[in-house]
Amino acid sequence: MDLKDKTLAIIGLGYVGLPLAVEFGKKRPVIGFDINPKRVAELKAGEDHTLECSRGELAEARHLQYTSDAVDLGKAQVYIVTVPTPVDQANRPDMRPLVGASQTVGKALKKGDVVIYESTVYPGATEEVCVPVLEQVSGLKFNVDFFCGYSPERINPGDKEHRLPSIRKVTSGSTPEVADGVNALYAQVVTAGTHKASSIRVAEAAKVIENTQRDVNIALMNELSLIFHRLGIDTLEVLQAAGTKWNFLPFRPGLVGGHCIGVDPYYLTHKAQEVGYHPEVILAGRRINDNMSKHVADETVKLMLRKGLPVLGSKVLVLGLTFKENCPDVRNTKVVDIIHTLERYNAKVDVYDPWINVADAEHEYGLKCLDSVPQAGAYAAVVLAVGHRQFIELGEQGIKAFGQPGAVLFDVKSILPRGAADGRL
């Protein structure tokens, strides 16, 4: 199946969809669709608040048009769905964005069209959840009137080195002919090459284990950090020594948040339990990683008490809110759990992050973050939670200047020299 000359529609213009729309929009007609009119207006003005695409990159996509009107999707023959797949409060897959996007596409679907999903899901979700919605809404029959593909996203927010064209792409299709067409389509923009999986289910499984593997490895480092802390050994020193062996994997302890690593394993464990298997290693890793924020807050409070600093009513500064460094993405950030735990100790917590939009943080988490550099000498404790380059540039003395004399400093990311902080992972 030849898809090279078809008009594309990208459904969802976030961290995943926009870079994809821009790359294709440099070469061929693309309809960039998002349900948020403000997002569409922003992109039409040449701005991207996610910072994934520069003004110059947006301008290069001369064949890309933005819209929030679903009627415009009828002009396309190939639809690529890039909406998020979060989990609910019980860590169960929340398929509502994916179902909603499938309903939107279904209304525009015509005979011969192809729908490709990039959203991270459990093996089988595309054909078990999305396809029935497409069939019901469109009145068309799968693999007779329309076809599907799956090509998992591999976007790394804030990473300016590993971009869409330079990351090898896994592709798949609902028939061998469609698989060939989907593979050739992505080969137009992915210079690193493609890997054509034998089925959609294999491609879905490959994606979900990429982040599950990282999650489990980081959980091991976090557990080692907890052990070494009790033994009075510096974890980073241990990892540096162990890292001299050629096949030692360079994982480090830390908070595991964001829209991928902290979420994707739950999609796999959900499906595993559905087919009668209770996963142990994966869920154990999730429990360890989810508890690290509480550990950071608890240790900060203990350090304050050891120094004779009152916790009740004291001001604590948390530096960084995003889920990773040098990126404005606050989705599923575990820094929020540090803040809430400190507040349960009745500390007064200020949050400062030069990368975020403070209005977005308030809307997402109800946090009133500082919109300017914190006052020097005002805090009994400082938690350096995210390794933004601005904080690294401040250095040890610049960070400590926010604290009052004798204040506690906890370095979550271990970015300061050894001995500079009172505690670190």
Coordinates of all heavy atoms in Angstrom, one line a residue, residues 3-14 16-25 28-35 63-83 101-102 104-110 113-119 134 147 149 185-186 188:
L3 N 1.4 5.0 0.7 CA 0.9 6.1 1.5 C 1.7 7.4 1.2 O 1.3 8.4 1.8 CB 0.9 5.8 3.0 CG 0.3 4.5 3.4 CD1 0.4 4.3 4.9 CD2 -1.2 4.5 3.0
K4 N 2.6 7.4 0.4 CA 3.6 8.5 0.2 C 2.9 9.8 -0.2 O 3.3 10.9 0.1 CB 4.7 8.1 -0.7 CG 5.6 7.1 -0.1 CD 6.8 6.8 -1.0 CE 7.7 5.7 -0.4 NZ 8.8 5.4 -1.4
D5 N 1.9 9.7 -1.1 CA 1.3 10.9 -1.6 C -0.1 11.2 -1.0 O -0.8 12.1 -1.5 CB 1.0 10.7 -3.1 CG 2.4 10.5 -3.9 OD1 3.3 11.2 -3.5 OD2 2.4 9.7 -4.8
K6 N -0.4 10.6 0.1 CA -1.6 10.8 0.8 C -1.5 12.1 1.8 O -0.4 12.4 2.2 CB -2.0 9.6 1.7 CG -2.1 8.3 0.9 CD -3.2 8.3 -0.1 CE -3.3 6.9 -0.7 NZ -4.4 6.8 -1.8
T7 N -2.6 12.7 2.0 CA -2.6 13.8 3.0 C -2.7 13.2 4.4 O -3.5 12.4 4.7 CB -3.8 14.7 2.8 OG1 -3.7 15.3 1.5 CG2 -3.9 15.8 3.8
L8 N -1.8 13.7 5.3 CA -1.8 13.2 6.7 C -2.6 14.1 7.6 O -2.6 15.3 7.4 CB -0.3 13.2 7.2 CG 0.7 12.3 6.5 CD1 2.0 12.3 7.2 CD2 0.2 10.8 6.5
A9 N -3.1 13.5 8.6 CA -3.7 14.3 9.7 C -3.1 13.8 11.0 O -3.1 12.6 11.3 CB -5.2 14.1 9.8
I10 N -2.5 14.7 11.8 CA -1.9 14.3 13.1 C -2.9 14.8 14.2 O -3.2 15.9 14.3 CB -0.5 15.1 13.3 CG1 0.4 14.9 12.1 CG2 0.1 14.6 14.6 CD1 0.8 13.5 11.8
I11 N -3.3 13.8 15.0 CA -4.3 14.1 16.0 C -3.7 14.2 17.3 O -3.2 13.3 17.9 CB -5.4 12.9 16.1 CG1 -5.8 12.4 14.7 CG2 -6.6 13.3 16.9 CD1 -6.4 13.4 13.8
G12 N -3.6 15.5 17.8 CA -2.9 15.8 19.1 C -1.6 16.4 18.8 O -0.7 15.8 18.2
L13 N -1.4 17.7 19.2 CA -0.2 18.5 18.9 C 0.6 18.8 20.2 O 0.9 19.9 20.4 CB -0.6 19.8 18.1 CG -1.3 19.5 16.8 CD1 -1.7 20.9 16.2 CD2 -0.4 18.8 15.8
G14 N 0.8 17.8 20.9 CA 1.6 17.9 22.1 C 3.1 17.6 21.9 O 3.6 17.8 20.8
V16 N 4.5 14.9 21.4 CA 4.7 13.8 20.4 C 4.2 14.3 19.1 O 4.9 14.2 18.0 CB 4.0 12.5 20.8 CG1 4.1 11.5 19.7 CG2 4.6 12.0 22.1
G17 N 3.0 14.8 19.0 CA 2.4 15.1 17.7 C 3.0 16.2 17.0 O 3.1 16.2 15.8
L18 N 3.4 17.3 17.7 CA 3.9 18.5 17.0 C 5.2 18.2 16.3 O 5.3 18.5 15.1 CB 4.1 19.6 18.0 CG 4.6 20.9 17.3 CD1 3.6 21.4 16.3 CD2 4.9 22.0 18.3
P19 N 6.2 17.6 16.9 CA 7.4 17.3 16.1 C 7.2 16.4 14.9 O 7.8 16.6 13.9 CB 8.3 16.6 17.1 CG 7.9 17.1 18.5 CD 6.4 17.2 18.3
L20 N 6.2 15.5 15.0 CA 5.9 14.6 13.9 C 5.2 15.4 12.8 O 5.6 15.3 11.6 CB 4.9 13.5 14.4 CG 4.6 12.4 13.5 CD1 5.9 11.5 13.2 CD2 3.5 11.5 14.0
A21 N 4.3 16.3 13.2 CA 3.6 17.1 12.2 C 4.6 18.0 11.5 O 4.5 18.3 10.3 CB 2.5 17.9 12.9
V22 N 5.5 18.6 12.2 CA 6.5 19.5 11.6 C 7.4 18.8 10.6 O 7.7 19.3 9.5 CB 7.3 20.2 12.7 CG1 8.6 20.9 12.2 CG2 6.5 21.2 13.5
E23 N 7.9 17.6 11.0 CA 8.8 16.9 10.1 C 8.1 16.5 8.8 O 8.6 16.7 7.7 CB 9.4 15.6 10.8 CG 10.4 15.9 11.9 CD 11.6 16.7 11.4 OE1 12.0 16.5 10.2 OE2 12.1 17.6 12.1
F24 N 6.9 16.0 9.0 CA 6.1 15.6 7.8 C 5.7 16.9 7.0 O 5.7 16.9 5.7 CB 4.9 14.8 8.1 CG 5.1 13.3 8.3 CD1 4.9 12.7 9.4 CD2 5.6 12.6 7.2 CE1 5.1 11.3 9.6 CE2 5.8 11.2 7.3 CZ 5.6 10.6 8.5
G25 N 5.4 17.9 7.7 CA 5.0 19.2 7.1 C 6.0 19.9 6.3 O 5.7 20.8 5.5
R28 N 5.3 17.3 2.9 CA 4.0 16.9 2.3 C 2.8 17.5 3.0 O 3.0 18.0 4.2 CB 3.9 15.4 2.4 CG 4.0 14.8 3.8 CD 4.1 13.3 3.8 NE 2.8 12.7 3.4 CZ 2.7 11.4 3.0 NH1 3.8 10.7 3.0 NH2 1.6 10.9 2.6
P29 N 1.6 17.5 2.4 CA 0.5 18.1 3.1 C 0.1 17.4 4.4 O 0.0 16.2 4.5 CB -0.7 18.0 2.1 CG 0.0 17.8 0.8 CD 1.3 17.1 1.1
V30 N 0.0 18.2 5.5 CA -0.3 17.7 6.8 C -1.4 18.6 7.5 O -1.2 19.8 7.4 CB 0.9 17.6 7.7 CG1 0.6 17.1 9.1 CG2 2.0 16.7 7.1
I31 N -2.4 18.0 8.1 CA -3.3 18.7 8.9 C -3.0 18.4 10.3 O -3.1 17.3 10.8 CB -4.8 18.2 8.6 CG1 -5.1 18.4 7.1 CG2 -5.8 18.9 9.5 CD1 -6.3 17.7 6.6
G32 N -2.6 19.4 11.1 CA -2.3 19.3 12.5 C -3.6 19.6 13.3 O -4.0 20.8 13.3
F33 N -4.1 18.6 14.0 CA -5.4 18.8 14.7 C -5.2 18.7 16.2 O -4.5 17.8 16.7 CB -6.4 17.8 14.3 CG -7.7 17.8 15.1 CD1 -8.7 18.7 14.8 CD2 -7.9 16.9 16.1 CE1 -9.9 18.7 15.5 CE2 -9.1 16.9 16.9 CZ -10.1 17.9 16.5
D34 N -5.8 19.7 16.9 CA -5.8 19.6 18.4 C -7.1 20.1 18.9 O -7.7 21.1 18.3 CB -4.6 20.4 19.0 CG -4.3 20.0 20.4 OD1 -5.1 20.4 21.3 OD2 -3.3 19.3 20.6
I35 N -7.7 19.5 19.9 CA -9.0 19.9 20.4 C -8.9 21.3 21.2 O -10.0 21.9 21.4 CB -9.6 18.9 21.3 CG1 -8.7 18.6 22.5 CG2 -9.9 17.6 20.5 CD1 -9.4 17.7 23.6
H63 N 4.0 23.0 4.6 CA 2.8 22.2 4.1 C 1.9 21.9 5.3 O 1.0 21.1 5.1 CB 3.2 21.0 3.4 CG 4.2 21.2 2.3 ND1 3.8 21.8 1.1 CD2 5.5 20.9 2.1 CE1 4.9 21.9 0.3 NE2 5.9 21.4 0.9
L64 N 2.2 22.4 6.5 CA 1.4 22.1 7.7 C 0.4 23.1 8.0 O 0.7 24.3 8.1 CB 2.4 21.9 8.9 CG 1.8 21.7 10.3 CD1 0.9 20.5 10.3 CD2 2.9 21.7 11.3
Q65 N -0.9 22.7 8.1 CA -1.9 23.6 8.6 C -2.5 23.2 9.9 O -2.6 22.0 10.1 CB -3.0 23.7 7.5 CG -3.9 22.4 7.4 CD -5.1 22.6 6.5 OE1 -5.0 22.5 5.3 NE2 -6.2 22.9 7.1
Y66 N -2.8 24.1 10.8 CA -3.3 23.8 12.1 C -4.8 24.0 12.2 O -5.3 25.0 11.6 CB -2.6 24.7 13.2 CG -1.1 24.6 13.1 CD1 -0.3 25.6 12.6 CD2 -0.4 23.5 13.7 CE1 1.1 25.5 12.6 CE2 0.9 23.4 13.7 CZ 1.7 24.4 13.1 OH 3.1 24.3 13.1
T67 N -5.5 23.2 12.9 CA -6.9 23.4 13.1 C -7.4 22.7 14.3 O -6.8 21.8 14.8 CB -7.7 22.8 11.8 OG1 -9.1 23.0 12.0 CG2 -7.4 21.3 11.8
S68 N -8.5 23.2 14.8 CA -9.2 22.6 16.0 C -10.6 22.2 15.5 O -11.5 21.8 16.3 CB -9.3 23.5 17.2 OG -10.0 24.7 16.8
D69 N -10.9 22.3 14.2 CA -12.2 21.9 13.6 C -12.1 20.5 13.0 O -11.4 20.3 12.0 CB -12.6 22.9 12.5 CG -14.0 22.7 12.0 OD1 -14.6 21.7 12.3 OD2 -14.5 23.6 11.3
A70 N -12.8 19.6 13.6 CA -12.7 18.2 13.2 C -13.2 18.0 11.8 O -12.8 17.0 11.1 CB -13.5 17.3 14.1
V71 N -14.0 18.9 11.2 CA -14.4 18.8 9.8 C -13.3 18.8 8.9 O -13.3 18.1 7.8 CB -15.4 20.0 9.5 CG1 -15.7 20.0 8.0 CG2 -16.7 19.9 10.3
D72 N -12.2 19.5 9.2 CA -11.0 19.5 8.3 C -10.3 18.2 8.2 O -9.6 18.0 7.2 CB -10.0 20.5 8.9 CG -10.5 22.0 8.8 OD1 -11.3 22.2 7.9 OD2 -10.1 22.8 9.6
L73 N -10.6 17.2 9.1 CA -9.9 15.9 9.0 C -10.4 15.1 7.8 O -9.8 14.2 7.4 CB -10.2 15.1 10.3 CG -9.6 15.7 11.6 CD1 -10.0 14.9 12.8 CD2 -8.1 15.8 11.5
G74 N -11.6 15.5 7.3 CA -12.1 14.8 6.1 C -11.2 14.9 4.9 O -11.4 14.1 4.0
K75 N -10.3 15.8 4.9 CA -9.4 16.0 3.7 C -8.3 15.0 3.7 O -7.6 14.9 2.7 CB -8.8 17.4 3.8 CG -9.8 18.6 3.8 CD -9.1 19.9 4.1 CE -10.1 21.0 4.3 NZ -9.5 22.3 4.6
A76 N -8.1 14.3 4.8 CA -6.9 13.4 5.0 C -7.3 12.0 4.6 O -8.5 11.6 4.6 CB -6.4 13.4 6.4
Q77 N -6.3 11.2 4.3 CA -6.4 9.8 4.0 C -5.7 8.9 5.0 O -5.9 7.7 5.1 CB -6.0 9.4 2.6 CG -6.8 10.1 1.5 CD -6.3 11.5 1.2 OE1 -5.1 11.7 1.1 NE2 -7.2 12.4 1.0
V78 N -4.7 9.5 5.7 CA -3.9 8.8 6.7 C -4.0 9.7 8.0 O -3.7 10.9 8.0 CB -2.4 8.7 6.3 CG1 -1.7 7.9 7.4 CG2 -2.3 7.9 5.0
Y79 N -4.3 9.0 9.1 CA -4.5 9.7 10.4 C -3.5 9.1 11.4 O -3.4 7.9 11.5 CB -5.9 9.5 10.9 CG -7.0 9.8 9.9 CD1 -7.4 8.9 9.0 CD2 -7.6 11.1 9.9 CE1 -8.4 9.2 8.1 CE2 -8.6 11.4 9.0 CZ -9.0 10.5 8.1 OH -10.0 10.8 7.2
I80 N -2.7 9.9 12.0 CA -1.8 9.5 13.0 C -2.2 10.0 14.4 O -2.2 11.2 14.6 CB -0.3 9.9 12.7 CG1 0.1 9.4 11.3 CG2 0.6 9.4 13.8 CD1 1.5 9.8 10.9
V81 N -2.6 9.1 15.3 CA -3.1 9.5 16.6 C -2.0 9.6 17.7 O -1.3 8.5 17.9 CB -4.2 8.5 17.1 CG1 -4.7 8.9 18.5 CG2 -5.3 8.5 16.1
T82 N -1.8 10.7 18.3 CA -0.6 10.9 19.2 C -1.1 11.4 20.6 O -0.4 12.2 21.2 CB 0.4 11.8 18.6 OG1 -0.2 13.1 18.4 CG2 0.9 11.3 17.3
V83 N -2.3 11.1 21.0 CA -2.8 11.6 22.3 C -2.2 10.8 23.4 O -1.7 9.7 23.3 CB -4.4 11.4 22.3 CG1 -5.0 12.3 21.2 CG2 -4.8 10.0 22.2
A101 N -10.2 10.3 20.7 CA -9.5 10.5 19.4 C -10.0 9.6 18.3 O -10.2 10.0 17.2 CB -8.0 10.4 19.6
S102 N -10.3 8.3 18.7 CA -10.8 7.3 17.7 C -12.2 7.7 17.3 O -12.5 7.5 16.1 CB -10.7 5.9 18.4 OG -9.4 5.5 18.7
T104 N -13.3 10.8 17.0 CA -13.1 11.9 16.1 C -12.7 11.4 14.8 O -13.2 11.9 13.7 CB -12.1 12.9 16.7 OG1 -12.6 13.4 18.0 CG2 -11.8 14.1 15.8
V105 N -11.7 10.5 14.7 CA -11.2 10.0 13.5 C -12.3 9.2 12.8 O -12.5 9.3 11.5 CB -9.9 9.1 13.7 CG1 -9.5 8.4 12.4 CG2 -8.8 10.0 14.2
G106 N -13.0 8.4 13.5 CA -14.1 7.6 12.9 C -15.1 8.4 12.1 O -15.6 7.9 11.1
K107 N -15.4 9.6 12.6 CA -16.4 10.5 11.9 C -15.8 10.9 10.5 O -16.6 11.3 9.6 CB -16.7 11.7 12.8 CG -17.5 11.3 14.0 CD -17.6 12.5 14.9 CE -18.3 12.1 16.2 NZ -18.4 13.3 17.2
A108 N -14.5 10.9 10.4 CA -13.9 11.4 9.1 C -13.5 10.3 8.2 O -13.1 10.5 7.1 CB -12.7 12.3 9.4
L109 N -13.5 9.0 8.8 CA -12.9 7.9 8.1 C -13.7 7.5 6.8 O -14.9 7.6 6.7 CB -13.0 6.7 9.0 CG -11.9 5.6 8.8 CD1 -10.5 6.2 8.9 CD2 -12.1 4.5 9.9
K110 N -12.9 7.2 5.7 CA -13.5 6.9 4.4 C -12.8 5.6 4.0 O -11.8 5.1 4.5 CB -13.1 8.0 3.4 CG -13.6 9.4 3.8 CD -13.1 10.5 2.9 CE -11.6 10.6 3.0 NZ -11.1 11.0 4.3
D113 N -8.9 4.5 3.9 CA -8.1 5.3 4.8 C -7.3 4.4 5.7 O -7.6 3.2 6.0 CB -8.9 6.2 5.6 CG -9.4 7.4 4.8 OD1 -9.0 7.5 3.6 OD2 -10.2 8.2 5.3
V114 N -6.2 4.9 6.3 CA -5.4 4.2 7.3 C -5.2 5.0 8.5 O -5.0 6.2 8.5 CB -4.0 4.0 6.7 CG1 -3.0 3.3 7.7 CG2 -4.1 3.1 5.4
V115 N -5.4 4.4 9.7 CA -5.3 5.0 11.0 C -4.1 4.4 11.7 O -4.0 3.2 11.9 CB -6.5 4.9 11.9 CG1 -6.4 5.7 13.2 CG2 -7.8 5.3 11.1
I116 N -3.1 5.3 12.1 CA -1.9 4.8 12.7 C -1.9 5.4 14.2 O -2.1 6.6 14.4 CB -0.6 5.3 12.0 CG1 -0.6 4.8 10.5 CG2 0.7 4.8 12.7 CD1 0.4 5.5 9.7
Y117 N -1.6 4.5 15.1 CA -1.6 5.0 16.5 C -0.1 5.0 17.0 O 0.7 4.1 16.7 CB -2.4 4.0 17.4 CG -3.9 4.2 17.2 CD1 -4.5 3.4 16.3 CD2 -4.6 5.1 17.9 CE1 -5.9 3.5 16.0 CE2 -6.0 5.2 17.7 CZ -6.6 4.4 16.8 OH -7.9 4.5 16.5
E118 N 0.2 6.1 17.8 CA 1.6 6.2 18.4 C 1.5 6.2 19.9 O 2.5 6.1 20.5 CB 2.2 7.5 17.9 CG 2.7 7.5 16.4 CD 3.9 8.4 16.2 OE1 4.4 8.9 17.1 OE2 4.3 8.4 15.0
S119 N 0.3 6.3 20.4 CA 0.1 6.4 21.9 C 0.6 5.1 22.5 O 0.3 4.0 22.0 CB -1.3 6.6 22.2 OG -1.8 7.8 21.6
L134 N -13.6 2.8 15.9 CA -13.5 3.3 14.5 C -14.6 2.6 13.7 O -15.3 3.3 12.9 CB -12.2 2.9 13.9 CG -10.9 3.6 14.5 CD1 -9.7 3.1 13.9 CD2 -11.0 5.1 14.2
F147 N -7.8 0.5 7.4 CA -6.7 -0.3 7.9 C -6.1 0.5 9.1 O -6.3 1.7 9.2 CB -5.7 -0.6 6.8 CG -6.3 -1.3 5.6 CD1 -6.8 -0.5 4.6 CD2 -6.4 -2.6 5.5 CE1 -7.4 -1.1 3.5 CE2 -7.0 -3.2 4.4 CZ -7.5 -2.4 3.4
G149 N -2.4 0.9 11.7 CA -0.9 0.7 11.9 C -0.6 1.1 13.3 O -1.4 1.8 14.0
L185 N 6.2 5.2 4.9 CA 5.8 6.5 5.2 C 6.7 7.2 6.3 O 7.2 8.3 6.1 CB 4.4 6.4 5.8 CG 3.8 7.7 6.4 CD1 3.5 8.7 5.3 CD2 2.5 7.4 7.2
Y186 N 7.0 6.4 7.3 CA 7.9 7.0 8.4 C 9.4 7.1 7.9 O 10.1 8.0 8.3 CB 7.9 6.1 9.6 CG 6.7 6.3 10.5 CD1 5.6 5.5 10.5 CD2 6.6 7.5 11.3 CE1 4.5 5.7 11.3 CE2 5.5 7.7 12.1 CZ 4.4 6.9 12.1 OH 3.3 7.1 12.8
Q188 N 10.3 8.4 5.3 CA 10.4 9.7 4.7 C 11.0 10.7 5.6 O 11.7 11.7 5.2 CB 9.1 10.2 4.2 CG 8.5 9.5 3.0 CD 7.2 10.2 2.5 OE1 6.4 10.7 3.3 NE2 7.1 10.4 1.2

